[in-house]
Amino acid sequence: MKITIVGTGFVGVVSAAVYASFGHTVFGLDVDEKKVEMLKQAQVPFFEPGLSELLQEQQSKGTLFFTTNYQESISQCEIIVIAVGTPSSSQGKVDLKYVYNAIESMAPYLQENTIVVLKSTVPPGTADTVIASIKAKSSVNFHVASMPEFLKEGSAVTDTLHPDRVVIGTDDTSVFAKLSELHQPMQAPIVQTSIASAQMAKYAANAYLATRITFINEIADLCETNGADIQEVITAIGYDKRIGSHYWYPGVGYGGSCFPKDVKELVAYSQSVNYMDSLLARVNSINDTRVYRILEKLEKSMAGFQQKKIAVLGLAFKPNTDDMREAPSTKVVPYLLEKGAIIKGYDPKALETAKQVLPQHENLTYTSSIEEAIHDADLIIALIEWQEIISYPFANQVATLPIHFFDARNQFNKNALQNAGYIYKGVGR
Ligand code: UDX
């Protein structure tokens, strides 16, 4: 098959490389010339394990191309996948301008019976306006389908090659057959739904996971008021098969490019259909303020942050990525600076991003190792569970005591750290 993926962001690049690896001819199309030039050299503008290698392999096989030329790519493809960004606008409502720009730019070059697949996360109802926009610029027969993306950053290549399921939103049998065939090599269950159901499934999956995390965070906070240990509670309830203990570590709140945005969008969507008293509105507001409540407690426990030397370990929003969108560090670092702390930041991959994203301040410096960051620290914050951070032998490295240790992801052995003299603080334990 010949496929164009419009948008070479995270989802677009990974999808393009994976479809090419199945033997299809794939064009990755973007308006950003600089990005396209980089991708042609298999240089990925972000860190994602295994992606650069896959790009290189597929480009050298001659099945994967990157271009800025709509006419060249669209006019020879039978499937067009729209994978442009859908950022939140004010009030959390999704901003679809990139989707409509892409649709208007490609519509004049569509061939007869092309399938236009919406992979960008868009609210139900968007397909109707997309169809109208295409019809305004093209007189060919075409189909619109929805195929939401469920990959996680940091494991995007594996998630795309081996998804838990593929959701294909279409009522048309021939479209379903074609898109099923495209995904056969993944050997995953294929779920056929209507377009609206596919789009709701994407929002529902993210909103459920965000709610699950917010729920366990709240139970963790309650544990702190009565001496219970959240990790023991999770183990105890996890044996219930209806609950399970997977994907359920408490922390400072969820972040990243999807959960905060998609929850806000679903809240805005609920309000647009007059459903004002939404559970998700609470999930959103609890998560937005969670990290500040935790920092306030920490601040009290060490008599303020003024002039305290603090090592912040883990600046990305999660391990195995350099993405800092809605990363806890983007709230933690400005808060600590505001309170007069002297910060050394460390991350295995996100240091360059951090220099762009975090405020420039005389009290904020970056180090190239954990050792340097924690040297002389009054407080160590292990913010993100990078393997390098959680396997670091903190308990063997104590020089001057007492040092406060905030284990923001409950990754460390509390007793071992306490025995080594740290003043340990986890989440809900
Ligand atoms: C998420 C979804 O998992 C994925 O299906 C969707 O396509 C995009 O959004 P991603 O944002 O890459 O993927 O990361 P994920 O690993 O799911 O983590 C999201 C956030 O939740 C992170 O801030 C993470 O630290 C947090 N989290 C996750 C928790 O706080 N506790 C958990 O148990 C799991």
Side-chain angles (χ1 to χ4, degrees), residues 131-150:
I131 290 170
S133 306
I134 298 176
K135 281 187 175 160
K137 300 234 162 182
S138 167
S139 53
V140 300
N141 290 313
F142 64 91
H143 305 277
V144 170
S146 170
M147 265 182 9
E149 180 54 63
F150 299 98

mmCIF file of all heavy atoms in Angstrom, residues 131-150:
data_model
loop_
_atom_site.group_PDB
_atom_site.id
_atom_site.type_symbol
_atom_site.label_atom_id
_atom_site.label_comp_id
_atom_site.label_asym_id
_atom_site.label_seq_id
_atom_site.Cartn_x
_atom_site.Cartn_y
_atom_site.Cartn_z
ATOM 1 N N ILE A 131 -15.195 16.026 6.636
ATOM 2 C CA ILE A 131 -15.802 15.616 5.357
ATOM 3 C C ILE A 131 -16.229 16.858 4.567
ATOM 4 O O ILE A 131 -15.942 16.991 3.374
ATOM 5 C CB ILE A 131 -17.001 14.662 5.607
ATOM 6 C CG1 ILE A 131 -16.487 13.311 6.131
ATOM 7 C CG2 ILE A 131 -17.831 14.457 4.325
ATOM 8 C CD1 ILE A 131 -17.550 12.359 6.643
ATOM 9 N N ALA A 132 -16.858 17.806 5.272
ATOM 10 C CA ALA A 132 -17.319 19.033 4.587
ATOM 11 C C ALA A 132 -16.121 19.820 4.038
ATOM 12 O O ALA A 132 -16.174 20.328 2.905
ATOM 13 C CB ALA A 132 -18.127 19.888 5.562
ATOM 14 N N SER A 133 -15.038 19.882 4.795
ATOM 15 C CA SER A 133 -13.850 20.639 4.325
ATOM 16 C C SER A 133 -13.248 19.983 3.096
ATOM 17 O O SER A 133 -12.789 20.674 2.181
ATOM 18 C CB SER A 133 -12.758 20.688 5.390
ATOM 19 O OG SER A 133 -13.241 21.168 6.566
ATOM 20 N N ILE A 134 -13.229 18.640 3.074
ATOM 21 C CA ILE A 134 -12.655 17.970 1.897
ATOM 22 C C ILE A 134 -13.550 18.229 0.681
ATOM 23 O O ILE A 134 -13.061 18.570 -0.401
ATOM 24 C CB ILE A 134 -12.491 16.447 2.131
ATOM 25 C CG1 ILE A 134 -11.528 16.182 3.299
ATOM 26 C CG2 ILE A 134 -11.972 15.756 0.856
ATOM 27 C CD1 ILE A 134 -11.358 14.721 3.675
ATOM 28 N N LYS A 135 -14.866 18.111 0.914
ATOM 29 C CA LYS A 135 -15.806 18.288 -0.222
ATOM 30 C C LYS A 135 -15.701 19.680 -0.818
ATOM 31 O O LYS A 135 -15.923 19.869 -2.018
ATOM 32 C CB LYS A 135 -17.239 18.024 0.245
ATOM 33 C CG LYS A 135 -17.535 16.538 0.327
ATOM 34 C CD LYS A 135 -18.998 16.270 0.615
ATOM 35 C CE LYS A 135 -19.279 14.778 0.568
ATOM 36 N NZ LYS A 135 -20.513 14.425 1.268
ATOM 37 N N ALA A 136 -15.343 20.657 0.022
ATOM 38 C CA ALA A 136 -15.219 22.035 -0.490
ATOM 39 C C ALA A 136 -14.047 22.174 -1.449
ATOM 40 O O ALA A 136 -13.992 23.120 -2.234
ATOM 41 C CB ALA A 136 -15.060 22.996 0.682
ATOM 42 N N LYS A 137 -13.091 21.225 -1.385
ATOM 43 C CA LYS A 137 -11.879 21.372 -2.203
ATOM 44 C C LYS A 137 -11.648 20.223 -3.166
ATOM 45 O O LYS A 137 -10.644 20.197 -3.880
ATOM 46 C CB LYS A 137 -10.648 21.453 -1.286
ATOM 47 C CG LYS A 137 -10.661 22.604 -0.323
ATOM 48 C CD LYS A 137 -9.403 23.423 -0.440
ATOM 49 C CE LYS A 137 -9.618 24.783 0.196
ATOM 50 N NZ LYS A 137 -8.535 25.659 0.109
ATOM 51 N N SER A 138 -12.540 19.215 -3.123
ATOM 52 C CA SER A 138 -12.292 18.047 -3.961
ATOM 53 C C SER A 138 -13.612 17.457 -4.437
ATOM 54 O O SER A 138 -14.604 17.460 -3.690
ATOM 55 C CB SER A 138 -11.527 16.995 -3.135
ATOM 56 O OG SER A 138 -11.527 15.767 -3.811
ATOM 57 N N SER A 139 -13.602 16.915 -5.653
ATOM 58 C CA SER A 139 -14.866 16.336 -6.138
ATOM 59 C C SER A 139 -14.769 14.814 -6.251
ATOM 60 O O SER A 139 -15.681 14.164 -6.774
ATOM 61 C CB SER A 139 -15.213 16.955 -7.496
ATOM 62 O OG SER A 139 -14.108 16.800 -8.351
ATOM 63 N N VAL A 140 -13.675 14.208 -5.751
ATOM 64 C CA VAL A 140 -13.539 12.747 -5.854
ATOM 65 C C VAL A 140 -14.335 12.067 -4.738
ATOM 66 O O VAL A 140 -14.688 12.690 -3.736
ATOM 67 C CB VAL A 140 -12.055 12.289 -5.767
ATOM 68 C CG1 VAL A 140 -11.222 12.901 -6.872
ATOM 69 C CG2 VAL A 140 -11.457 12.601 -4.400
ATOM 70 N N ASN A 141 -14.580 10.759 -4.902
ATOM 71 C CA ASN A 141 -15.151 9.979 -3.800
ATOM 72 C C ASN A 141 -14.032 9.673 -2.810
ATOM 73 O O ASN A 141 -12.927 9.331 -3.226
ATOM 74 C CB ASN A 141 -15.701 8.645 -4.316
ATOM 75 C CG ASN A 141 -16.939 8.867 -5.144
ATOM 76 O OD1 ASN A 141 -17.828 9.606 -4.746
ATOM 77 N ND2 ASN A 141 -16.983 8.240 -6.325
ATOM 78 N N PHE A 142 -14.329 9.785 -1.550
ATOM 79 C CA PHE A 142 -13.305 9.486 -0.543
ATOM 80 C C PHE A 142 -13.999 8.941 0.706
ATOM 81 O O PHE A 142 -15.234 8.995 0.814
ATOM 82 C CB PHE A 142 -12.504 10.758 -0.204
ATOM 83 C CG PHE A 142 -13.347 11.827 0.436
ATOM 84 C CD1 PHE A 142 -13.488 11.915 1.816
ATOM 85 C CD2 PHE A 142 -14.067 12.734 -0.344
ATOM 86 C CE1 PHE A 142 -14.294 12.878 2.405
ATOM 87 C CE2 PHE A 142 -14.877 13.697 0.243
ATOM 88 C CZ PHE A 142 -14.980 13.773 1.613
ATOM 89 N N HIS A 143 -13.213 8.392 1.637
ATOM 90 C CA HIS A 143 -13.770 7.877 2.897
ATOM 91 C C HIS A 143 -13.036 8.532 4.055
ATOM 92 O O HIS A 143 -11.846 8.811 3.944
ATOM 93 C CB HIS A 143 -13.549 6.370 3.010
ATOM 94 C CG HIS A 143 -14.072 5.600 1.846
ATOM 95 N ND1 HIS A 143 -15.386 5.222 1.729
ATOM 96 C CD2 HIS A 143 -13.442 5.141 0.738
ATOM 97 C CE1 HIS A 143 -15.555 4.564 0.591
ATOM 98 N NE2 HIS A 143 -14.381 4.498 -0.032
ATOM 99 N N VAL A 144 -13.735 8.726 5.151
ATOM 100 C CA VAL A 144 -13.067 9.201 6.372
ATOM 101 C C VAL A 144 -13.264 8.139 7.444
ATOM 102 O O VAL A 144 -14.360 7.603 7.619
ATOM 103 C CB VAL A 144 -13.634 10.572 6.829
ATOM 104 C CG1 VAL A 144 -13.123 10.932 8.221
ATOM 105 C CG2 VAL A 144 -13.229 11.662 5.835
ATOM 106 N N ALA A 145 -12.167 7.796 8.137
ATOM 107 C CA ALA A 145 -12.235 6.826 9.237
ATOM 108 C C ALA A 145 -11.464 7.392 10.421
ATOM 109 O O ALA A 145 -10.746 8.384 10.280
ATOM 110 C CB ALA A 145 -11.616 5.501 8.794
ATOM 111 N N SER A 146 -11.620 6.743 11.575
ATOM 112 C CA SER A 146 -10.889 7.203 12.754
ATOM 113 C C SER A 146 -10.075 6.047 13.320
ATOM 114 O O SER A 146 -10.595 4.930 13.451
ATOM 115 C CB SER A 146 -11.891 7.697 13.800
ATOM 116 O OG SER A 146 -11.221 7.927 15.008
ATOM 117 N N MET A 147 -8.818 6.297 13.604
ATOM 118 C CA MET A 147 -7.986 5.240 14.212
ATOM 119 C C MET A 147 -7.149 5.854 15.324
ATOM 120 O O MET A 147 -6.035 6.300 15.102
ATOM 121 C CB MET A 147 -7.053 4.643 13.143
ATOM 122 C CG MET A 147 -7.630 3.406 12.511
ATOM 123 S SD MET A 147 -6.520 2.676 11.298
ATOM 124 C CE MET A 147 -5.025 3.527 11.469
ATOM 125 N N PRO A 148 -7.683 5.914 16.532
ATOM 126 C CA PRO A 148 -6.945 6.573 17.612
ATOM 127 C C PRO A 148 -5.645 5.842 17.942
ATOM 128 O O PRO A 148 -5.518 4.645 17.705
ATOM 129 C CB PRO A 148 -7.916 6.529 18.788
ATOM 130 C CG PRO A 148 -8.908 5.478 18.460
ATOM 131 C CD PRO A 148 -8.975 5.383 16.974
ATOM 132 N N GLU A 149 -4.732 6.596 18.519
ATOM 133 C CA GLU A 149 -3.410 6.061 18.845
ATOM 134 C C GLU A 149 -3.300 5.890 20.368
ATOM 135 O O GLU A 149 -3.682 6.781 21.105
ATOM 136 C CB GLU A 149 -2.361 7.077 18.356
ATOM 137 C CG GLU A 149 -0.946 6.683 18.620
ATOM 138 C CD GLU A 149 -0.638 5.315 18.060
ATOM 139 O OE1 GLU A 149 -0.707 5.133 16.839
ATOM 140 O OE2 GLU A 149 -0.359 4.393 18.865
ATOM 141 N N PHE A 150 -2.785 4.753 20.794
ATOM 142 C CA PHE A 150 -2.684 4.511 22.234
ATOM 143 C C PHE A 150 -1.239 4.352 22.708
ATOM 144 O O PHE A 150 -0.999 3.867 23.810
ATOM 145 C CB PHE A 150 -3.493 3.261 22.617
ATOM 146 C CG PHE A 150 -4.967 3.378 22.307
ATOM 147 C CD1 PHE A 150 -5.499 2.824 21.150
ATOM 148 C CD2 PHE A 150 -5.819 4.055 23.161
ATOM 149 C CE1 PHE A 150 -6.855 2.938 20.850
ATOM 150 C CE2 PHE A 150 -7.178 4.183 22.877
ATOM 151 C CZ PHE A 150 -7.704 3.618 21.720
#
